[in-house]
């Protein structure tokens, strides 16, 4: 498998500020990482697929200019929530694709974002 | 549109008994299904999966059943142990072995009572 970390685990920010969340693959060089979002009592929703060295692929309805994804190395992908608003408050979780099978996504512990 | 649904947000089971977690889906193109387990402050971890060409897959205490005609799958845990207390997510995928996208349900919180 792959060990995945996220930083920070929890962040509180003021409305209008930008927040960067890091996702690190600690023991696997990942060309593909995924970013999910989970609102209370709802499912994990895929936001985007992060590809090392190229642009991220966003799911329908996810604003690419608001949720900036950078996958500059094989071990790090970052998600920046720009001009955050209270409705962006959510649980953000990343995963690393560490193999060819569909069971080979390994998830980070998640980041709780609260926008005041 | 919620393509994968777990209609029970929580389930409480006595230690040693069987836990049955249910999941329904609407997309008939899904060809692979997975169950993940999540402890607090940790990410989901893969538990067991099943291909749409099968109707049952067993791994130790965990068995997943798939009923394609009903678009329903279930996870059976027997016997249930206190360490099984966690949130369980059902997920589905379409598009063959190379597919990457997973569609998740809302999760069911399982509590095993001693």
């Amino acid at each position: 498998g792959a060990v995945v970390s996220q930083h920070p685990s929890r962040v509180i920010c003021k409305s209008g500020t930008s927040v960067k969340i890091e996702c690190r693959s600690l023991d696997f060089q990942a060309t593909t990482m995924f970013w999910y979002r989970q609102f209370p009592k709802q499912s994990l929703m895929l936001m985007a697929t992060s590809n090392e060295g190229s642009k991220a692929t966003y799911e329908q309805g996810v604003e690419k200019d608001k949720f900036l994804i950078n996958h500059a190395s094989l071990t790090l992908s970052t998600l920046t929530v720009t001009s955050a608003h209270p409705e962006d408050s959510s649980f953000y979780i990343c995963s690393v694709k560490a193999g060819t099978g569909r069971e080979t996504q390994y998830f980070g512990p998640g980041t709780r974002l609260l926008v005041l | 549109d919620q393509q994968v649904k777990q209609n029970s947000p929580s389930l409480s089971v006595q230690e040693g008994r069987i836990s049955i977690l249910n999941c329904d889906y609407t997309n008939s193109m899904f060809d692979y299904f997975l169950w993940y387990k999540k402890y607090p402050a940790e990410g989901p971890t893969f538990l067991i999966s099943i291909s749409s060409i099968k109707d049952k897959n067993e791994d130790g205490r965990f068995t997943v059943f798939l009923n394609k005609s009903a678009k329903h799958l279930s996870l059976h845990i027997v016997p249930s142990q206190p360490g099984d207390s966690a949130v369980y997510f059902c997920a589905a995928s379409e598009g063959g072995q190379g597919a990457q996208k997973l569609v998740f349900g809302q999760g069911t919180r399982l509590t095993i009572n001693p």
Side-chain angles (χ1 to χ4, degrees):
Chain A
V3 179
V4 183
S5 71
Q6 279 185 242
H7 178 80
S9 58
R10 180 186 291 262
V11 57
I12 301 173
C13 70
K14 292 182 179 180
S15 185
T17 61
S18 294
V19 175
K20 181 186 282 189
I21 302 170
E22 293 185 348
C23 175
R24 290 185 185 273
S25 177
L26 300 181
D27 58 354
F28 185 85
Q29 294 190 315
T31 55
T32 303
M33 296 184 180
F34 302 93
W35 285 97
Y36 293 82
R37 178 171 55 184
Q38 184 182 22
F39 292 110
K41 299 184 179 180
Q42 295 188 25
S43 56
L44 280 164
M45 297 291 291
L46 180 65
M47 299 175 66
T49 302
S50 171
N51 303 297
E52 188 268 338
S54 65
K55 291 182 179 180
T57 305
Y58 289 82
E59 294 298 305
Q60 192 174 10
V62 178
E63 300 174 59
K64 63 180 181 181
D65 295 328
K66 180 169 182 63
F67 299 99
L68 301 179
I69 291 172
N70 187 296
H71 192 157
S73 78
L74 290 171
T75 58
L76 174 65
S77 176
T78 60
L79 169 69
T80 301
V81 183
T82 62
S83 187
H85 290 282
E87 57 265 30
D88 298 321
S89 298
S90 186
F91 187 68
Y92 293 86
I93 191 165
C94 71
S95 69
V96 165
K97 188 84 169 86
T100 55
R102 281 179 278 187
E103 64 275 9
T104 56
Q105 279 195 43
Y106 296 89
F107 289 82
T111 296
R112 175 79 57 194
L113 171 63
L114 177 62
V115 185
L116 302 175
Chain B
D1 179 33
Q2 188 80 28
Q3 295 188 71
V4 178
K5 295 182 183 179
Q6 294 174 257
N7 291 316
S8 297
S10 64
L11 175 68
S12 187
V13 173
Q14 193 95 21
E15 181 179 0
R17 306 291 286 266
I18 184 170
S19 296
I20 301 176
L21 297 105
N22 294 302
C23 178
D24 296 294
Y25 62 96
T26 57
N27 186 347
S28 58
M29 299 302 292
F30 286 142
D31 60 0
Y32 201 79
F33 303 89
L34 308 91
W35 284 94
Y36 284 82
K37 177 179 180 179
K38 183 184 183 302
Y39 292 119
E42 296 182 14
T45 56
F46 171 73
L47 191 57
I48 191 169
S49 62
I50 188 167
S51 165
S52 60
I53 63 173
K54 296 185 175 181
D55 55 18
K56 177 183 175 181
N57 188 28
E58 190 173 351
D59 183 3
R61 297 186 297 115
F62 303 91
T63 303
V64 56
F65 294 92
L66 175 62
N67 182 334
K68 283 202 303 182
S69 61
K71 293 190 177 70
H72 176 85
L73 66 155
S74 60
L75 173 68
H76 293 212
I77 306 172
V78 57
S80 300
Q81 299 174 355
D84 296 328
S85 295
V87 177
Y88 289 79
F89 289 96
C90 164
S93 172
E94 64 172 294
Q97 184 66 12
Q100 301 187 110
K101 181 176 176 179
L102 297 178
V103 181
F104 284 86
Q106 308 96 309
T108 297
R109 181 177 300 280
L110 174 66
T111 303
I112 306 301
N113 302 307

